Amino acid sequence: MPETPAGKGDERFTGLESLRSPGRTSELLFLFEISTKRHGRLRSIAQALDLSVQAISLLYRDAVARGWVERHDGVFRPTVEGTEHLHEALEKLSADLSDREQKLAIVRRCRALAREDLAPGDRVVLSMQGGFLTARRGDGGDSRGKVLRGARKGELVEVGELAGILPLRPAGIRVLVLSPALLAPEGDRSVLREELPSSEETFLAAEGLEAYHLVRELTGRTPVRFGTAPAAREASQKGVPSVLVVTEELLPSLLHRLAEPGPTPPLSIQTLPGPRRASPGRGRGKGPVRAP
């Protein structure tokens, strides 16, 4: 079926949204075609725009009715009003596209940790390691670039001519829930010690004073205690695993914040103490279980 011209009521749309109106794109292409080239027949316009003669005829009649097109000396030409309409529409479309492009925050260059000595001009592969963007010499990875400013191993290197997409694989978030039995004076703290991460690369946080005190006492590390949920979500998105320690009393609040809008991180919940080797999903509240 031929594309119908845009109705007058569609003038309320501007920029990119205006192209959703039926016939709007063809209307602008039609006006641009007769503004930049000489056409004496509708058929030649139809061939240039790859549209049917019937569709071009409908566009022509609508443009004439609006006072946008006239035929002078056997050639279709836009009127002053038609030219103004085309210029205004293209200016609004250009401004809207420019505004949308700026909001995309397209990255054209970046800085990364050099995994080896790199010199200007070296082709590098970018990857996430331990939550940090790193660069190594090569050209066969998912995300690639060219060194603009060299750096020694472990320093920041500037990379441009970026190509490809950096794959981000979310890491899991483990929530260790401290039961009243563990918090009691005679509670067995060894079960918590065994579950706490030994690697410094794992994000470690504690929700509440009791959890914070126990984690610091058992590991010697100072866990994050503020903004634990958003920090764990961000770590997960950058491929860094997290362990959050929380009491049963504060667990609902923590889960609510972990479930905020956005990408859902892989989440598991384990109440301590519980069976040491329980299978996931067995024993509600007594072993490792997957969060719904």
Side-chain angles (χ1 to χ4, degrees):
M1 294 180 64
E3 196 174 14
T4 57
K8 295 182 180 180
D10 294 318
E11 297 299 329
R12 67 184 183 277
F13 296 114
T14 60
L16 195 59
E17 285 189 348
S18 68
L19 300 184
R20 297 187 304 177
S21 302
R24 177 65 165 175
T25 303
S26 297
E27 172 193 286
L28 296 178
L29 289 173
F30 173 76
L31 289 174
F32 183 80
E33 182 69 20
I34 64 174
S35 296
T36 57
K37 298 178 184 177
R38 293 174 61 87
H39 287 281
R41 302 173 58 199
L42 295 178
R43 182 176 297 278
S44 67
I45 302 175
Q47 292 174 345
L49 299 182
D50 195 23
L51 293 173
S52 68
V53 176
Q54 183 182 4
I56 292 298
S57 179
L58 287 173
L59 288 168
Y60 171 67
R61 289 202 299 267
D62 182 71
V64 170
R66 298 188 183 202
W68 292 345
V69 176
E70 61 183 0
R71 191 169 187 179
H72 185 68
D73 292 335
V75 177
F76 298 106
R77 301 293 299 173
T79 62
V80 174
E81 292 80 3
T83 301
E84 290 178 349
H85 169 72
L86 177 62
H87 286 184
E88 181 183 7
L90 292 180
E91 286 176 359
K92 290 181 178 179
L93 180 59
S94 177
D96 188 27
L97 289 174
S98 178
D99 180 64
R100 292 173 187 267
E101 183 179 8
Q102 290 179 5
K103 292 178 180 178
L104 285 175
I106 299 175
V107 178
R108 304 188 186 281
R109 61 174 60 190
C110 68
R111 288 184 174 85
L113 287 176
R115 295 176 58 186
E116 56 188 313
D117 292 349
L118 297 172
D122 284 347
R123 307 301 302 188
V124 294
V125 176
L126 300 173
S127 62
M128 292 293 291
Q129 298 207 355
F132 296 103
L133 183 65
T134 65
R136 62 174 175 80
R137 194 176 292 108
D139 56 7
D142 295 314
S143 180
R144 305 167 302 283
K146 179 180 178 181
V147 174
L148 302 179
R149 184 178 300 173
R152 292 187 176 277
K153 180 179 180 180
E155 297 179 344
L156 290 179
V157 60
E158 188 170 352
V159 182
E161 298 184 19
L162 300 178
I165 298 177
L166 181 68
L168 293 177
R169 299 176 178 85
I173 298 177
R174 291 183 63 213
V175 178
L176 301 180
V177 185
L178 306 180
S179 67
L182 187 146
L183 293 173
E186 67 280 3
D188 183 5
R189 311 294 168 81
S190 64
V191 293
L192 174 60
R193 180 185 290 109
E194 292 176 4
E195 297 295 339
L196 290 173
S198 58
S199 172
E200 293 285 339
E201 293 186 358
T202 300
F203 176 78
L204 180 61
E207 190 84 4
L209 178 61
E210 292 171 305
Y212 175 82
H213 175 73
L214 280 179
V215 170
R216 190 172 63 170
E217 181 182 70
L218 294 175
T219 65
R221 294 174 58 182
T222 301
V224 174
R225 54 183 295 214
F226 301 115
T228 56
R233 288 172 60 92
E234 182 178 356
S236 171
Q237 293 170 16
K238 294 183 177 179
V240 177
S242 302
V243 172
L244 304 184
V245 183
V246 63
T247 61
E248 287 185 352
E249 180 183 7
L250 298 178
L251 177 63
S253 174
L254 176 64
L255 293 180
H256 177 74
R257 282 176 281 129
L258 286 174
E260 289 180 353
T264 302
L267 180 66
S268 64
I269 304 173
Q270 181 178 356
T271 298
L272 301 177
R276 300 287 179 89
R277 298 293 179 182
S279 300
R282 295 181 182 176
R284 184 177 180 87
K286 295 185 179 180
V289 297
R290 292 291 176 185

